[in-house]
Amino acid sequence: GAVVSQHPSWVICKSGTSVKIECRSLDFQATTMFWYRQFPKQSLMLMATSNEGSKATYEQGVEKDKFLINHASLTLSTLTVTSAHPEDSSFYICSARDSGTSTDTQYFGPGTRLTVL
Amino acid sequence: TQLLEQSPQFLSIQEGENLTVYCNSSSVFSSLQWYRQEPGEGPVLLVTVVTGGEVKKLKRLTFQFGDARKDSSLHITAAQPGDTGLYLCAVFPRQAGTALIFGKGTTLSVSS
């Protein structure tokens, strides 16, 4: 089946630094990828839609200058948390839609645990 | 306003008991999905229901889509500790190709 990977799986950083998270579709092409954030004991909240070759679309309340998204190829989207603060600590999950099929199936990555000290 | 209302939010039961999780909305959907997520991992798709009134079974799990396609339920028979996890319902509320939107989830704990 389709596989989505994320790197790193966990990261700890100091407040004020920037952190980049990668999301890759390993065996399919994805013109569209999605970034979610999940706080402990809560559900996944959609942050933004990442479109290959164009600007990302952010959900209401998500700061686009803080959460930079780049989707430079059909298999890679990156999320950069700029000037991270402790409140940005969360579990970040990406998903990708297979461009080669007509179905709406999304494949989820394993998530990245970000801890900001 | 939450698009999908899930209940209960938390459920703690003994091995062997039965349980039902509900996912309700005032909107009509063309399909609805159920996921299970374990701590520190991404969600895993369990089932997609498409037709109103549809019932799908996955071993001890029974999924039902409401006749009006506004609600769904997940029933687990004879729960086991391995069923422990976060159960999420999700839909595509916008046009095709857009993001899944999740309910708030039900955290299930099954003790032996």
Side-chain angles (χ1 to χ4, degrees):
Chain A
V3 177
V4 173
S5 70
Q6 284 185 238
H7 178 80
S9 55
W10 60 269
V11 57
I12 301 173
C13 69
K14 292 183 178 180
S15 185
T17 61
S18 294
V19 174
K20 180 185 286 188
I21 302 171
E22 294 184 348
C23 176
R24 293 182 185 272
S25 55
L26 298 187
D27 48 3
F28 64 97
Q29 293 184 333
T31 56
T32 305
M33 292 184 174
F34 306 96
W35 287 96
Y36 294 83
R37 180 168 53 183
Q38 185 177 32
F39 293 107
K41 298 192 183 301
Q42 293 187 24
S43 185
L44 284 74
M45 293 298 295
L46 179 66
M47 296 176 67
T49 299
S50 173
N51 303 297
E52 187 266 338
S54 65
K55 291 183 178 180
T57 305
Y58 291 82
E59 294 299 300
Q60 189 173 7
V62 178
E63 300 175 58
K64 62 180 181 180
D65 294 330
K66 180 168 184 63
F67 298 99
L68 300 179
I69 292 173
N70 184 279
H71 193 154
S73 79
L74 288 172
T75 59
L76 173 64
S77 174
T78 60
L79 169 67
T80 301
V81 183
T82 62
S83 186
H85 288 94
E87 58 265 32
D88 298 323
S89 298
S90 188
F91 194 51
Y92 292 87
I93 303 173
C94 72
S95 69
R97 181 174 170 270
D98 188 345
S99 306
T101 70
S102 59
T103 68
D104 274 333
T105 301
Q106 288 185 14
Y107 303 95
F108 286 86
T112 297
R113 171 74 59 193
L114 170 64
T115 301
V116 185
L117 302 177
Chain B
T1 305
Q2 187 75 14
L3 181 64
L4 297 172
E5 297 288 344
Q6 262 189 261
S7 62
Q9 190 173 354
F10 298 98
L11 196 53
S12 183
I13 62 173
Q14 294 287 326
E15 183 177 4
E17 292 185 28
N18 301 331
L19 67 114
T20 301
V21 177
Y22 299 93
C23 179
N24 299 305
S25 178
S26 58
S27 301
V28 177
F29 303 108
S30 57
S31 66
L32 185 145
Q33 298 183 331
W34 283 94
Y35 288 79
R36 178 168 170 264
Q37 184 184 25
E38 297 197 37
E41 300 181 9
V44 175
L45 178 65
L46 295 174
V47 76
T48 301
V49 286
V50 178
T51 307
E54 180 178 8
V55 176
K56 283 191 173 181
K57 291 192 175 184
L58 185 65
K59 297 185 180 178
R60 294 176 293 100
L61 277 61
T62 301
F63 305 86
Q64 185 163 8
F65 202 15
D67 291 340
R69 291 183 287 127
K70 292 182 178 181
D71 53 81
S72 182
S73 64
L74 157 60
H75 182 79
I76 301 180
T77 304
Q80 298 177 1
D83 296 327
T84 293
L86 176 65
Y87 290 83
L88 299 154
C89 62
V91 295
F92 293 102
R94 305 170 190 168
Q95 63 187 21
T98 57
L100 270 171
I101 301 300
F102 289 86
K104 286 193 172 181
T106 296
T107 300
L108 172 65
S109 175
V110 183
S111 53
S112 56

